[in-house]
Each structure stands twice: as C-alpha cells, then as structure tokens.
Amino acid sequence: MKINDVILQAVAKVVVFIILTLGIYLFFSGHNEPGGGFIGGLVLASALVLLFLSFDIESVKKGIPVDFKKVAALGTLLAVGSGLGALFFDAPFLTQAFSYFDLPILGETELATMMIFEAGVALAVVGVVGTIILSISEDV
C-alpha cells in the first residue's frame, strides 16, 4: 500500500537518523554503562519500524535489500561463536578477554570480545524485529 503522508515522511527522514545515532551510542556504551546489544538493537529496529510505517514496504525493501531472517541467523551465529571461541583457549564458555589498543582517531581504546557477542545480539534483535514486522505486513 502506497503511503502519501509528506509530513510523516519528512519527519521520519530526520528522526530515523537521530534514532540510528542513539542506537549506535547505546550499543557502544553498553559494555560499561546501561545499554548494550539488546537495547541498541531494539532502538535500531525501532528506526526500521518507523521507516516501514512512514513509507510503503516495497520502497523500504528497495532501499534496504536485506533478508532479515539471514540477519537474525548471522547475529545468533556471531553471539554463539563468540562464546565458543573461549573454549579453544581452555576457558569457560563466554569468557571475556580484553586489551587496550592505540587506534588512529580514537587513541587508546579498550576492545573486548564481549563487543562481538553484543554485535551478535544486536543483529539478532534487528533481524527478528524486521522479520516480525514484514510478516505482519504480509497478513494485512
């Protein structure tokens, strides 16, 4: 169904950018502060839902040609794989390792294996929410 609400579409273009920025911030701050992969993924998925509500499904699918089922599967595989990686070093499942690296723009930055798990959770959440929204839209 073609939606022709110019005001909603104009506002959505700006708000989606703000929501995506907040989702990325929540994802990266979640390691040491409230947030993380699940909450960041939900916020990122809410931007996707706003796009689906503001524009028609076919237009969004053309702009974002992603199979959300594959995104959910990739996220789950990444999250589980990050836990299995510890087993190769004779450590318990989901053991976290971290170190500090001197990155060009960011300077000294802590990188942890938990970020891989959080990225997997975020991808799984975005994939599941996208799949649910598209499944509901097919029934209507």
Side-chain angles (χ1 to χ4, degrees), residues 5-6 14-15 20 38-40 58 66-67 76 78 89-90 97 100 105 110 126 131 135:
D5 192 349
V6 177
V14 175
V15 172
L20 289 175
F38 187 78
I39 296 172
E58 289 79 22
V66 173
D67 185 1
T76 304
L78 194 63
F89 297 101
D90 201 25
Y100 293 93
I105 296 174
E110 176 187 337
V126 168
T131 302
S135 297

Side-chain angles (χ1 to χ4, degrees), residues 4 8 12 16 24 30-31 35-36 53 59 69 72 81 98 106 117 134 138:
N4 194 14
L8 178 64
V16 163
I24 292 170
H31 181 61
L53 291 174
S59 297
K69 293 175 190 167
F98 67 96
L106 302 174
F117 175 78
L134 290 177
E138 289 174 358

